[in-house]
Amino acid sequence: MIQSVETHATLAEAQRAMGSDAIFMAGGTLVMRDVNAGVAATRIVRSSDPVLADIRLSGDGVTIGAGVTMATIAAHRDLAFLAPVARSVGGPQIRNMGTVGGNLFAPHPYGDFAVALLALGARVNVAGQIGAPRPLADVLRERGRVGIVASVHVPRPQAPGDFGFLKVSRIKPKGVSVLSVAAHLPRQGGRIRGARVAFGAMGPMPLQATAVERVLDGQALDAPTIARAAQVAVEGLDPPTDALATAWYRREVAGVHLKRLLERMVRG
Ligand SMILES: Cc1cc2nc3c(=O)[nH]c(=O)nc-3n(C[C@H](O)[C@H](O)[C@H](O)COP(=O)(O)OP(=O)(O)OC[C@H]3O[C@@H](n4cnc5c(N)ncnc54)[C@H](O)[C@@H]3O)c2cc1C
């Protein structure tokens, strides 16, 4: 039973107000579901800190406030590389409310936007933590113990064709993921340098496909390389069985969809 909803002017105050009886709420697309089901924490903490809504471009990337919604990203002229990812999250109502910060902590099979951020090598600014932003992979691993996320810093792909995202769902256009996959493949002299590939719904949280990255790194993105990458797609992943698909099915199709994504990136 909810006893209070508190809105704090700054993230620092909101962070201080947190406790074991409280949950931070952003867009509330998931938190409110728990409230309606009677399983939410007793206190809801919110913040009106403007940093949450800020989108700031810098030389190499963009810093996106954790409270920025999927709809805002889909419509932002400087975030075209992320627009298809944002548009893949839920239907219009979910995109109007659902935020970047909430997507980082959304349980399986959600987290499509986090998959893209992981592939892009995003780093996370946590409220009240001084120093360098934290790698997203660490934050995803430590869900529940991280604190309030203020923003994410996302490196921008140097060429539009360096980044690709694919979501596989059963219900079009707004079903949740059987799996999602994102790849950031910067190229120098035709060779991939610093490949990053991530899968969603293939584990308890979005996961980096390090075996795939090893296969791709230093290679040209051609048919033999893509075939080798597809062969190792599920190495290190741990897909669950749920109402959408069995773990077996997810394992079987992960390589197929990775191949489709990489072939699409070749075609440009
Ligand atoms: C019908 C439906 C369809 C959906 N479809 C999709 C989909 O296709 N793809 C997808 O990825 N997701 C989907 N979702 C899940 C969800 O809507 C999105 O992931 C959304 O981005 C969550 O954001 P939110 O702001 O609403 O999160 P909230 O509900 O406000 O919060 C979710 C969780 O994140 C935590 N949190 C929120 N902000 C922060 C922060 N700044 N710092 C720390 N913790 C924070 C909350 O404490 C809570 O634990 C769907 C949900 C519903 C109900």
Side-chain angles (χ1 to χ4, degrees):
M1 182 80 165
I2 292 296
Q3 287 170 3
S4 67
V5 180
E6 309 155 19
T7 303
H8 297 272
T10 67
L11 279 180
E13 286 167 21
Q15 186 68 67
R16 278 196 294 276
M18 293 297 290
S20 58
D21 61 337
I23 187 157
F24 184 76
M25 183 167 92
T29 56
L30 294 172
V31 171
M32 284 311 294
R33 212 165 59 167
D34 287 350
V35 170
N36 292 333
V39 295
T42 51
R43 285 192 304 123
I44 289 184
V45 173
R46 309 207 66 203
S47 175
S48 55
D49 196 320
V51 81
L52 288 170
D54 204 28
I55 297 178
R56 194 160 301 172
L57 302 173
S58 52
D60 63 332
V62 54
T63 300
I64 306 174
V68 172
T69 64
M70 296 297 135
T72 299
I73 288 172
H76 198 288
R77 63 175 187 176
D78 295 312
L79 299 179
F81 65 106
L82 286 170
V85 187
R87 278 197 293 268
S88 83
V89 174
Q93 297 94 331
I94 294 293
R95 291 196 290 275
N96 276 337
M97 297 301 292
T99 64
V100 172
N103 203 265
L104 304 186
F105 301 99
H108 170 88
Y110 302 137
D112 298 316
F113 199 78
V115 172
L117 295 184
L118 189 57
L120 286 162
R123 300 176 79 84
V124 177
N125 295 298
V126 177
Q129 284 185 9
I130 301 157
R134 304 186 57 194
L136 174 58
D138 293 356
V139 169
L140 292 174
R141 258 194 307 274
E142 292 171 25
R143 284 166 162 202
R145 292 175 283 133
V146 174
I148 301 173
V149 170
S151 61
V152 290
H153 180 76
V154 190
R156 224 182 334 209
Q158 299 230 312
D162 286 355
F163 175 69
F165 172 81
L166 178 79
K167 173 171 167 174
V168 182
S169 60
R170 293 200 190 277
I171 302 164
K172 312 286 180 195
K174 56 178 188 173
V176 295
S177 279
V178 170
L179 65 83
S180 56
V181 54
H184 183 214
L185 309 176
R187 271 154 277 185
Q188 280 171 17
R191 305 259 161 199
I192 300 164
R193 303 277 176 223
R196 286 185 67 98
V197 178
F199 275 97
M202 290 295 287
M205 67 204 79
L207 292 171
Q208 230 175 304
T210 49
V212 174
E213 293 172 354
R214 278 196 300 274
V215 166
L216 293 174
D217 244 340
Q219 306 298 316
L221 190 58
D222 54 19
T225 304
I226 291 174
R228 282 201 305 280
Q231 269 169 9
V232 300
V234 293
E235 263 183 41
L237 306 182
D238 182 19
T241 291
D242 58 21
L244 292 167
T246 61
W248 174 85
Y249 179 80
R250 286 189 160 100
R251 282 186 179 281
E252 287 295 306
V253 300
V256 175
H257 292 295
L258 174 66
K259 183 165 176 273
R260 284 184 190 164
L261 172 66
L262 297 180
E263 286 173 347
R264 198 176 76 193
M265 290 173 76
V266 171
R267 291 193 298 274

